[in-house]
Amino acid sequence: AVVRQGLGGAGMKQTMFRNQLAVRLVVYSLLIGSVLSVFSTGLQLLISFRHQKVEAANVLDQIDQALTQSLEFALWRMDFTQVDVILSGLAAYEVFSHLELRSSTGERWERGTRIGSDLTRTYELVHTGSNRTAEPVGTLTVEVSLDSVVARVWDQFWVTFQTNLVKAYLAAIALLFVAHKLLPGHIRKIAAHV
């Protein structure tokens, strides 16, 4: 009876030791997984923000290639209805916070609100006539808002962060399962050698 009690106490100690060890493994893996998740998500956030900022700057290049000639021609012909249509089309893009067009004859159009963004570009609108003379017809100033870019990046951040946390917790549960299945066998071998 004394021997059984001693073995029963050792078995209980083994179970407590195994549970404490398994819990420690899970807690540490959760902590490490959470830290790595925050770090990797932050890195992805930074890369995504830079990429989307470059895309916003590319939109400014596309304006230069696609719309300045249309605006130049409309201003040259004083077709202010067409100018309104072009500016309204530009203002529909959420990436633009402010548009301002000033013609060389004194007319002025404005869309949106000025926010003082660092992504602002001014286009000199020059009409080249049939005799190859270039005449300035106006100036278009476009200001890009990074608010929509930042909002998209934060949305990506939360989705990625939650996904990484779920992965970390699933890994911790798997580790806990493995610890409960594998550790008792090793502890029994150690106890047998002792």
Side-chain angles (χ1 to χ4, degrees), residues 83-138:
V83 170
D84 270 335
V85 168
I86 293 170
L87 288 178
S88 295
L90 274 175
Y93 287 103
E94 64 178 13
V95 78
F96 300 127
S97 62
H98 183 255
L99 302 168
E100 184 180 3
L101 176 65
R102 294 176 185 261
S103 73
S104 57
T105 56
E107 288 82 18
R108 183 173 174 259
W109 295 265
E110 197 167 356
R111 302 281 194 282
T113 53
R114 196 173 298 211
I115 59 170
S117 171
D118 61 336
L119 277 178
T120 303
R121 191 173 292 177
T122 301
Y123 304 92
E124 295 298 329
L125 304 175
V126 178
H127 178 72
T128 305
S130 56
N131 57 357
R132 301 283 184 214
T133 58
E135 274 194 57
V137 291

Side-chain angles (χ1 to χ4, degrees), residues 5 48 85 177:
Q5 254 185 344
S48 179
V85 168
F177 178 76

Side-chain angles (χ1 to χ4, degrees), residues 155-184:
D155 289 343
Q156 290 175 353
F157 171 79
W158 288 116
V159 168
T160 306
F161 180 68
Q162 290 169 355
T163 304
N164 287 345
L165 272 184
V166 167
K167 288 177 188 175
Y169 279 84
L170 289 176
I173 290 169
L175 185 64
L176 182 63
F177 178 76
V178 168
H180 273 293
K181 292 295 180 189
L182 295 181
L183 281 180

